[in-house]
Amino acid sequence: MDVDKLFKLIKSLVFRIQVLKVVCLLMFIVIAFRLYAIQVKYSDDYQAYVNKTSTVALQRNVPRGVIYDRNMSVLVDNEAVSTITYQRYADVSEKEMHQIADKLADLIEVDFSKLTSRDLKDLYLEKFEDEAKELYTKEELKKYGDKKLYQLQLSRITDDMLSKLTDQDKEAHAIYINMKKGTNQTSNIIKKGATEEEVAIVSEHLESMPGVNTEVDWDRTYPSVAQWHPIYGRVSSYEQGLPAVLVDYYKAHDYQSNDRVGLSQLELYYEALLGGHKSQYLLTNDDDTSTYDEIYEGQRGYELVLTIDAELQAAVNDIVRDELLNAKKNSSTTKYLREAYIVMTNPNTGEVLAMTGNIIDWDDEAKDYVIYDNSLGTFQSSFTVGSVVKGATLLSGFKYGVTTPGQVVNDTKMYFKGGLVKGSWQTLGAVNDLTALQKSSNVYFFDQTIRFGGSYYSPYMALNLNLDVFDKYRSTFNEFGLGVSTGIDLPNESTGLVEAQRTSGKLLDFAIGQADLYTPMQLVQYVSTVATSGRRFAPTLVKEVYLPSNDDISGKQLVKGFAPNLLNVVELDQQYFDRVHQGFVMALQQSGGTGYSTFYKANYNPAGKTGTAQEYARDADGRYIKDANGEFIDVHSRTLIAYAPADKPEVALSVIVPQCELPSQSHPISLQIGERAMQAYFDLKKERMAAQNEVDNGETIGQAPENVAQGE
């Protein structure tokens, strides 16, 4: 190649490079200008477009799980409620939210009565900006900052000024406040219980109100004959949202701040099952239009089958109310009576069949008695229970070899050094272990305790016993469920109260139930353990868990069945249990028994033990009441434990009626509640067996013989 050609090639190449540089420079200038336009000049427009065109993954609540009784009658259900909601999304402006609120106020009626004075003043400042500026002087404007000026404006707004606000203004402001609740991407309730017309008209205008939607919320209902019961618990509202004490736990499990959750009892204890799995959907905001696309329909909460018998529960509710009203209205001895409790269980499984507590009070305005439900007191409140513990006391004597079956003690007044006198409710004479239970002898168990403490009774002896007997007694009592957790599947159970005094005199009191305090639930577990000869089962309220479905029981899918929870077995010879069983039968079925006057006509073979506890009267706040002389007022509490049939127990109960009578006159309210409740159980059983027999006979009659079905 010659030199001229080489120079021409180099010259051409250099020219091309220069042209390329110019092109690159021009392209860079165009790109820079475009970036400037996007990031600076038109940034607000593009940001608004991004805000209007976005897709966010969201959740919706599903109905909570249905709760049934043991016979598949619905106890707790859900009722659909039409709602209008607002879904907040990122970077929506306050102006846009106000515009949406104004539109909604034109379409629906919203209660604005809960707007505070501060809310109304803020609304005034917003609606009347020019007049608001006149609420401070030019000097104040120069002197103070925005915060101080705002406070001055608020303080100078008068009622006359607020009267300029229309109902429409107030409705829109109430809507706006609801829209601002919660965080971004949470669904806020604008109106719950919207009418069909409101839902329809809002649905027609959804495109002009981004974030607004019509949904279905759910309220708990209680359709059973037993109505609402405190053990079901309550569910939070959208306004309440997550309870403060558990907010971190729930948020860690993907709950939102305004989610509705169980607040107490079964609704709280089984929240993980009852809450269900939320539906998943995409919220797309595109040019002021919101669309919702479901990607997972969700699953309503699991269904719980309780051990509760709704019909029995309803009957027991009525019985306790009737007996409280009757006692207060028709007896002078029940002046300080104010509450009663009963628990019924299956002693062979621990299944709770019914549990009720009621408080009765006088209403000055209504001039009549009113009754409040306090069923949680059956496992959260403890009481002095009296002689019902004597079965456990006797079994302790057998266990440690202090007492032998058939051992006789002379029941008469016992006198001790220092002037202490102990005795039974009346002098009973010679009693053995059986008649001591039948007639409720105190002296029999005082004598046993004195021997247990390393001594023998003699008149005017010094009462100086080995106090380790407290621990031995309590150890046995604990095996029967007295003084320890029963294991019930409910929160906040009380384990009773242990008497702090450890004296010889208090040890005698302990033996007859006048020291430690126990709950009605502990008492029913104790009598159930006696009835089953030592097998202590935890009381349980949930029997089965099913997947949610609209099928009857035959078509439901069982997730979990709860087997009886055997906590322990009391290791004692059967002959000792037999003696207590026989004594309990005599107490209710033989003349002279402390429960005979009420149970003698019973045809279900009952066994049990009555109790009387001596106390001082207290008021509704638990404070001791004094008489005109400043003295404490003596009252008696009445208790009952029972099971039936005695030879094959299938139901057990405990009844506690605190301070139900004055010492001068007894009242059989605890016996009447217990006997009527037991009779209700067996009446229901009989009715159901008769109904089942009718069904079985009907099916048999309706079936044609095989040869007829073949046309022969």
Side-chain angles (χ1 to χ4, degrees), residues 627-702:
D627 60 18
N629 298 319
E631 300 292 330
F632 292 120
I633 300 171
D634 290 320
V635 290
H636 287 168
S637 297
R638 289 287 184 176
T639 57
L640 171 71
I641 56 173
Y643 58 88
D647 55 341
K648 194 176 181 181
E650 60 184 75
V651 60
L653 61 77
S654 68
V655 179
I656 297 181
V657 187
Q659 56 186 53
C660 74
E661 65 188 31
L662 297 171
S664 58
Q665 181 184 355
S666 64
H667 195 285
I669 182 172
S670 60
L671 290 170
Q672 291 170 340
I673 290 174
E675 196 283 324
R676 289 183 63 189
M678 196 73 84
Q679 188 64 58
Y681 171 87
F682 285 102
D683 286 345
L684 275 172
K685 179 182 178 181
K686 184 178 179 181
E687 290 173 13
R688 289 167 179 167
M689 289 180 65
Q692 186 60 47
N693 288 336
E694 286 184 12
V695 172
D696 293 342
N697 291 336
E699 289 177 353
T700 302
I701 294 171

Side-chain angles (χ1 to χ4, degrees), residues 549-565:
S549 77
N550 295 322
D551 298 328
D552 60 22
I553 186 62
S554 61
K556 291 185 182 295
Q557 183 176 339
L558 181 67
V559 175
K560 180 177 176 61
F562 291 82
N565 182 11

Side-chain angles (χ1 to χ4, degrees), residues 477-521:
F477 278 41
N478 291 170
E479 290 187 83
F480 286 91
L482 296 174
V484 294
S485 171
T486 65
I488 191 171
D489 50 343
L490 286 172
N492 305 318
E493 179 192 10
S494 169
T495 57
L497 185 64
V498 175
E499 170 60 56
Q501 293 186 50
R502 287 175 68 92
T503 64
S504 296
K506 188 56 68 175
L507 181 58
L508 297 186
D509 292 338
F510 180 92
I512 61 168
Q514 285 284 161
D516 289 4
L517 277 57
Y518 308 112
T519 69
M521 192 64 68

Side-chain angles (χ1 to χ4, degrees), residues 384 386-387 389-390 393-394 402 412-417 419-424 441-458 460-471 473-474 477 499 501-516 518 612 614:
T384 308
S387 297
V389 306
K390 288 176 179 175
T393 304
L394 180 59
V402 180
T412 187
K413 291 281 187 183
M414 304 179 80
Y415 299 91
F416 300 95
K417 186 177 180 180
L420 178 65
V421 181
K422 293 280 190 179
S424 300
S441 168
N442 290 341
V443 171
Y444 192 90
F445 297 101
F446 292 153
D447 190 82
Q448 170 184 294
T449 303
I450 292 170
R451 287 183 276 109
F452 204 174
S455 188
Y456 290 91
Y457 173 72
S458 61
Y460 301 102
M461 64 178 288
L463 193 59
N464 187 17
L465 306 178
N466 181 356
L467 300 182
D468 288 343
V469 174
F470 269 116
D471 301 324
Y473 264 143
R474 286 187 176 126
F477 278 41
E499 170 60 56
Q501 293 186 50
R502 287 175 68 92
T503 64
S504 296
K506 188 56 68 175
L507 181 58
L508 297 186
D509 292 338
F510 180 92
I512 61 168
Q514 285 284 161
D516 289 4
Y518 308 112
T612 303
Q614 299 174 358

Side-chain angles (χ1 to χ4, degrees), residues 347-348 526-534 577 581 584 642-644 646 649 651-652:
N348 305 293
Y526 150 58
V527 72
S528 296
T529 307
V530 171
T532 58
S533 298
F577 283 111
H581 294 164
F584 278 11
Y643 58 88
V651 60

Side-chain angles (χ1 to χ4, degrees), residues 425 437-440 586-588 592-597 609-610 671:
W425 60 283
L437 293 176
Q438 175 193 11
K439 300 178 181 181
S440 200
M586 293 167 62
L588 299 189
T594 52
Y596 177 76
S597 61
K609 182 75 185 74
T610 65
L671 290 170

